[in-house]
Amino acid sequence: MIAGAFDIGGTSIKYGVLNEQGDILFKSKTPTKAKEGGKAVVGQVIELTKSLQKDYQLDGIAISTAGQINSQEGTVIFATDSLPGYTGLNIKKEVEKVFDLPVVVDNDVNCAAIGEYWLGAAQGVDQFLCMTLGTGIGGAIVINGQVYNGEAYSAGEFGHMTLYPGGYPCLCGDEGCYEQYASSKALEQRAQHALEQSITLPELFDKARAGDKLSESIIEQWIDDVALGIKSLVHIFNPPLIVIGGGVSEQGDYLLDKLQRRVEARIMSSFQKPLTIKFAKNGNDANLQGAVRCLSLPEFCREDG
Ligand SMILES: [Zn+2]
């Protein structure tokens, strides 16, 4: 089986051609026409598929996307303003209208979790949590090797746990959500505020590694908040593994060691022993790989698959 695979985000669409083993035969990306609305974004997927078909005989189309997704219908249940007009769109139906091929659509963090379970950091671990620290915080819950979807396919919104009641306003309409404090974007904003200049996260981490005390303390405070959310998740799920994805995972052991120590200090000792925190291994490739896995073996992605 050869699949066209897509990972739709608010800023770019990563896409490629993968075989059944998850090998990436071709990969590229293009800016998302988010401002033109959801239908235009699906139109991009259709056009890109046509261009892939010029070089590859595709057997299916696998789509990983931002937003809460009813993976059975292929519908966007809810997406934030980063993808306007996306909510309510039936991506699967729109794509199937054009191609006589099987199409699967699932949430990007669910796809990342399945991809990491298949070929990455969670290989051989049947119960784990996957969390992505990006513009927001996404989550996926894997139980017995399957993504747990919840009643309305929306389970795992770790980013909207309340961390500080009455805190910063959140896109969800509430205040004080975890992602307002512990996302990569939140760290960037903290750094800009404290250093009074715009700084990228790699630059911030470089400064901290070089011994800049202020940069270090900004990172430490942020890690405290990241650990606070993980503490709740660990006490609810008692997982043996948490896989963390998103841009900060490039910071490797410097960040991971601090985070692991901070989490251990906060959780009950009975929860510590089996717990490992790892960074995702395959980055965005995991989203493509996970989506393709869902295409060939839907039971990994849905309890009703
Ligand atoms: Zn929220």
Side-chain angles (χ1 to χ4, degrees):
M1 185 204 65
I2 300 285
F6 296 86
D7 179 32
I8 305 171
T11 48
S12 69
I13 300 175
K14 282 117 183 160
Y15 64 101
V17 176
L18 283 78
N19 64 17
E20 208 165 346
Q21 288 75 43
D23 300 321
I24 297 173
L25 311 176
F26 168 80
K27 188 170 73 165
S28 187
K29 68 174 181 175
T30 187
T32 311
K33 292 180 178 169
K35 285 202 183 99
E36 293 176 34
K39 283 223 167 176
V41 174
V42 176
Q44 285 185 282
V45 169
I46 290 167
E47 289 311 310
L48 291 168
T49 302
K50 285 178 185 168
S51 75
L52 293 175
Q53 281 182 321
K54 287 177 190 156
D55 296 313
Y56 298 92
Q57 176 85 39
L58 301 181
D59 303 305
I61 301 167
I63 302 171
S64 147
T65 177
Q68 294 167 15
I69 305 298
N70 177 332
S71 52
Q72 195 179 23
E73 295 174 4
T75 315
V76 182
I77 299 166
F78 176 76
T80 64
D81 289 344
S82 69
L83 286 163
Y86 210 47
T87 302
L89 201 62
N90 190 326
I91 300 175
K92 183 175 154 76
K93 209 180 260 176
E94 294 292 324
V95 177
E96 280 176 345
K97 269 186 212 165
V98 183
F99 304 101
D100 186 23
L101 293 171
V103 178
V104 294
V105 185
D106 206 341
N107 164 268
D108 50 7
V109 187
N110 288 352
C111 288
I114 291 301
E116 291 291 335
Y117 177 55
W118 185 23
L119 299 164
Q123 264 181 320
V125 185
D126 291 337
Q127 332 264 355
F128 67 97
L129 304 178
C130 183
M131 182 159 94
T132 53
L133 308 179
T135 313
I137 294 182
I141 303 156
V142 175
I143 299 171
N144 297 331
Q146 290 181 316
V147 169
Y148 172 75
N149 296 127
E151 185 61 23
Y153 293 89
S154 304
E157 285 284 355
F158 301 158
H160 301 284
M161 295 189 286
T162 301
L163 202 65
Y164 298 112
Y168 298 144
C170 181
L171 287 172
C172 71
D174 204 359
E175 294 170 338
C177 292
Y178 185 40
E179 69 178 29
Q180 296 303 321
Y181 298 86
S183 62
S184 297
K185 189 178 165 195
L187 174 59
E188 219 170 77
Q189 286 169 338
R190 278 168 196 243
Q192 282 175 8
H193 184 74
L195 300 168
E196 295 177 337
Q197 60 172 12
S198 81
I199 183 166
T200 67
L201 292 184
E203 285 166 355
L204 178 72
F205 278 94
D206 283 350
K207 282 180 83 156
R209 278 200 189 85
D212 180 65
K213 289 288 167 213
L214 181 55
S215 300
E216 202 173 10
S217 96
I218 294 163
I219 292 170
E220 302 264 342
Q221 285 169 30
W222 172 77
I223 290 175
D224 261 340
D225 282 341
V226 177
L228 210 51
I230 292 177
K231 174 201 160 185
S232 295
L233 294 170
V234 166
H235 286 143
I236 294 166
F237 292 101
N238 187 201
L241 173 67
I242 298 178
V243 176
I244 296 180
V248 288
S249 51
E250 289 160 17
Q251 298 308 325
D253 289 345
Y254 174 84
L255 174 55
L256 200 57
D257 291 348
K258 285 177 191 284
L259 182 59
Q260 185 105 29
R261 254 182 287 132
R262 216 60 59 84
V263 169
E264 275 171 15
R266 284 193 179 274
I267 60 178
M268 287 187 258
S269 57
S270 49
F271 287 79
Q272 284 176 7
K273 197 84 197 254
L275 177 67
T276 308
I277 299 174
K278 283 187 187 176
F279 281 136
K281 199 170 151 192
N282 296 328
N284 280 106
D285 291 351
N287 298 26
L288 300 178
Q289 288 163 332
V292 169
R293 191 68 163 164
C294 295
L295 185 66
S296 51
L297 294 163
E299 65 270 25
F300 281 97
C301 306
R302 304 199 308 260
E303 298 107 285
D304 58 4

